[in-house]
Amino acid sequence: MNHLFLTAWTDILESLRARWFAVYTFVFGGILVLLFALGLTESRVMGFTGLSRLMLTYLQLSMAILPVFVLVTTVRSLSGDRESGVFEYLLSLPVSLSAWYWGKMLGRFVMVYTPVLLAMGGAMLWGGLTGVELPWRIFLYYSALLMVLTWCFLGIGMLVSSVARSVDVAQGTAFVIWLGLLLFLDLILLGVMVQQYASPNLVIGIALANPLQVFRTAGMMLFDPQLVLLGPSAYVILDHFGNLGFMVYALAYPLLLGTLMAWIGYQWFRRGDLP
Amino acid sequence: MISIQGLRKGFGKREVIQGLDLELEPGRRVALIGSNGAGKTTLIRCLLGEYHFGGEIRVDGKCPRKQRCEVLRLVGFVPQLPPPLKMPVGQLVRFVADVAGSDPARIVAVAHRLGLNIDQNRHQPFVRLSGGQKQKLLIAAALGRDTSLLIMDEPAANLDPEARGVFFELLAEKRDKEAVMLISSHRLDEVATLVNRVIELDQGQVVLDDKVDDHVDLNSRLACRVRINRPEAAFARAVGQWGFTAAPDGLQWEGSVAGPDRLRFLGMLSRYAGLLAGLEMKDAGHG
């Protein structure tokens, strides 16, 4: 088997045995079950009901949980392996560093994204069985959004794991990054900056650079195309990108950012000491 | 086979290896000795291409850092501390065989010779094996494929006497194939019987490079007299195998040792260090 896929497959099997994966799957499956149990498909927000409403809530919850989960488990696992001597042994075998690094990322991506996708797919299946209208457009776009969000934070996690020399430093850094991105959402610091008359270009620049904010705005766009919820900054976004343009940007930017972060991480990993 | 020139490696401001030069020809079996912090593990990691370093290392003409896959295909490595791998034993064997382009059955066969039944432990996580079992599996993974350079960091530390015997047999088989062996150990007596060169490192520099059989006339013999402080059956058996005979009181033994075997002989004696009361070795000319 190609070394990249062999490494990815090994990582997948490793994740299946790991406790973090059981917890992670339970959390994402559990959220959906909980949303069904709470009767969210019956409620209505801005005219949205049924599975669309459920997926919207699921997306918002995923935005809060997925990035921190991906970051912390990735850096814990990779930095932990480095610290405990797993790298010393496995990297003494004739596997190329690129196959090792990208194989790890691929395997982890499959393991992180699959439960999220299965949960969404499960909701659609349940909707199909109970005769609820199936929001295919929302399902496909939200699945793609969650995919690029996963990739983006996985890339950041790989970079942090490559740079940090210990689990503690890696975990702390990952948490600070997540917290920083969370603080610069429109609900928190960006709102304060607007209130303090900060330059609109700066505020919007930060909003467009923050993958969490991009994800949140794109998530809103499907049910609020005019971005009324976002306030005046919506004008800038819609003037510059247009509705479709921003939806494409929301997929392309996190994908590129995650790839760039992972690539920098790979260069760091390749050029530094491995164990 | 291995050429090291001006090797330097530091961590922050601390230089662990300072301008080390070394040449190892095929068939060399080297005991790499030295106290903690002497630079043994750092040297090994540089050879494995795991560390960034200054100077030059060539293994079969290739740089382990830039051509790591080509170099590592030649290398069987046994680490000092078994890694806490959670993967099951069967999966680890398959993984090693797949990346090294070997047959898992060969690894299983070597493990079996060392007394580890892979089939019985196939589904058990590697990390849950006992210390000795882990060591056996790592040795099997290193020896159960075609390698021309064996790098082993304290390989026999966790092995029971029987497995140790088999391990030495396996190394002797490799020895016949002109493989280079680099065996790092705190204790020379552990590996004395296997090696034909001793390199001692201290603070990242070679302080002793004893090419045992180069300096010794292959036909020379050493007359030896060993005095012990009490008769001991195990000691009698061990020196008896070297053709030594005892004085009537059983406290003095005399015999001769071939020059090239002196390190092996001293290695054997070191097992009975508590018994030794005196040792005399004299050049006895050609045997």
Side-chain angles (χ1 to χ4, degrees), chain A residues 3 6 10 13-14 17 84-97 270-275, chain B residues 9 11 45 50-52 65 68-69 72-73 77 79 83-88 91 95 98-99 138 141 145:
Chain A
H3 287 180
L6 187 65
T10 306
L13 294 179
E14 198 79 12
R17 284 187 294 270
S84 63
V86 169
F87 275 23
E88 184 199 25
Y89 182 66
L90 292 182
L91 291 176
S92 75
L93 298 168
V95 54
S96 77
L97 292 183
R270 196 168 67 90
R271 289 176 188 170
D273 291 340
L274 303 178
Chain B
K9 175 65 190 168
F11 300 97
R45 287 179 175 177
E50 294 185 334
Y51 277 163
H52 210 60
R65 193 72 193 175
R68 55 185 304 281
C69 282
L72 293 176
R73 256 189 279 277
F77 171 60
L85 292 165
K86 293 186 193 85
M87 66 172 91
Q91 193 196 335
F95 181 79
D98 279 351
V99 294
L138 295 176
R145 55 196 170 100

Side-chain angles (χ1 to χ4, degrees), chain B residues 213-229:
Chain B
D213 52 6
D214 282 3
H215 299 307
V216 178
D217 184 341
L218 289 175
N219 293 317
S220 71
R221 295 197 73 81
L222 293 162
C224 303
R225 183 178 296 148
V226 184
R227 283 188 306 282
I228 52 177
N229 47 36

Side-chain angles (χ1 to χ4, degrees), chain A residues 248-272:
Chain A
V248 172
Y249 173 78
L251 293 180
Y253 172 67
L255 193 67
L256 289 175
L257 183 67
T259 308
L260 178 70
M261 293 290 123
W263 182 80
I264 297 170
Y266 172 62
Q267 296 304 324
W268 202 292
F269 172 70
R270 196 168 67 90
R271 289 176 188 170

